[in-house]
Amino acid sequence: MLQIIQTGFDTRPIEMQPMWLITYQAPAEDIDRVFDAICAITPLVQGNTDRNGYRTPGGQEYYRPREGTPAGAEDELRRRPGVNEMRFFLPRDENVLDAVIEAIYEVHSYYEPVIIVQEVLRSLCRGLDYSDNPHRWWNNNGDWKTAP
C-alpha cells in the first residue's frame, strides 16, 4: 500500500493522484479569510474547477492555556464552540506546502493553529462521456443550487 500512496494508480474512468490533504481548524468566522489567503498562493484545482475545499460545520474545541501562552496560564478547561474544519488538496510540492502553511499562520487568529498534512490519493475524472448517465445531477432534476 505504501508504494501506491506514492505513485497513485489508474482505472478506466478515474486517475488516483498522490496529493497532500491539508486540514485546518479555525473559528467559523475565520475560515473564509484563511481559505482566501491559501487561494492567493495556489488555485486548488481539481479537473475544470478551482478554489476546491470542503468545510465541516462547527464542533467544540477543548484546550487549557498553559504557561507561555499569550493569554497566560489558566486552571480551567476552555470549550470553544463553532470551530470548523476546512480541507483541501495540494500537489506534493514542498515549496507550495511551505507557503500555504505560512499563509495559514499569518492570517489565523490562533497563535498555535491546528494544521494537519496527510499523504492521500485523490480522484481525478478522466473525462469519459457519461453525459447520459441517469445518476448524474444534470440528468436528475438539477443540482444543489436548485431550490426544492
Side-chain angles (χ1 to χ4, degrees):
M1 182 64 170
L2 183 58
Q3 178 63 26
I4 207 167
I5 289 289
Q6 299 302 317
T7 61
F9 67 95
D10 296 333
T11 69
R12 189 177 61 79
I14 299 287
E15 176 185 345
M16 297 302 296
Q17 300 178 324
M19 302 287 278
W20 283 317
L21 173 62
I22 314 301
T23 304
Y24 65 90
Q25 297 174 355
E29 62 272 14
D30 294 350
I31 289 285
D32 288 340
R33 180 182 66 243
V34 176
F35 192 67
D36 288 344
I38 293 163
C39 291
I41 293 168
T42 184
L44 302 180
V45 172
Q46 181 163 352
N48 293 327
T49 63
D50 66 0
R51 295 182 64 93
N52 286 278
Y54 180 77
R55 181 176 180 166
T56 60
Q60 189 168 45
E61 180 179 63
Y62 287 64
Y63 64 99
R64 183 172 64 174
R66 305 308 302 152
E67 196 62 43
T69 62
E74 297 180 15
D75 292 329
E76 298 299 315
L77 178 67
R78 287 189 180 188
R79 292 172 180 86
R80 182 179 184 145
V83 175
N84 290 194
E85 281 190 344
M86 187 69 163
R87 300 175 188 153
F88 58 91
F89 296 99
L90 283 180
R92 293 186 189 168
D93 179 325
E94 288 184 31
N95 293 324
V96 174
L97 179 62
D98 287 349
V100 164
I101 300 279
E102 289 182 14
I104 293 170
Y105 185 77
E106 182 68 29
V107 301
H108 204 289
S109 61
Y110 294 178
Y111 76 95
E112 186 79 47
V114 175
I115 305 168
I116 301 164
V117 179
Q118 297 172 291
E119 288 186 326
V120 298
L121 296 177
R122 179 191 71 182
S123 61
L124 180 65
C125 180
R126 293 189 169 282
L128 302 178
D129 183 11
Y130 279 86
S131 58
D132 61 348
N133 184 324
H135 301 289
R136 299 298 188 252
W137 61 264
W138 57 84
N139 291 326
N140 197 10
N141 298 322
D143 70 1
W144 63 271
K145 293 191 276 185
T146 303

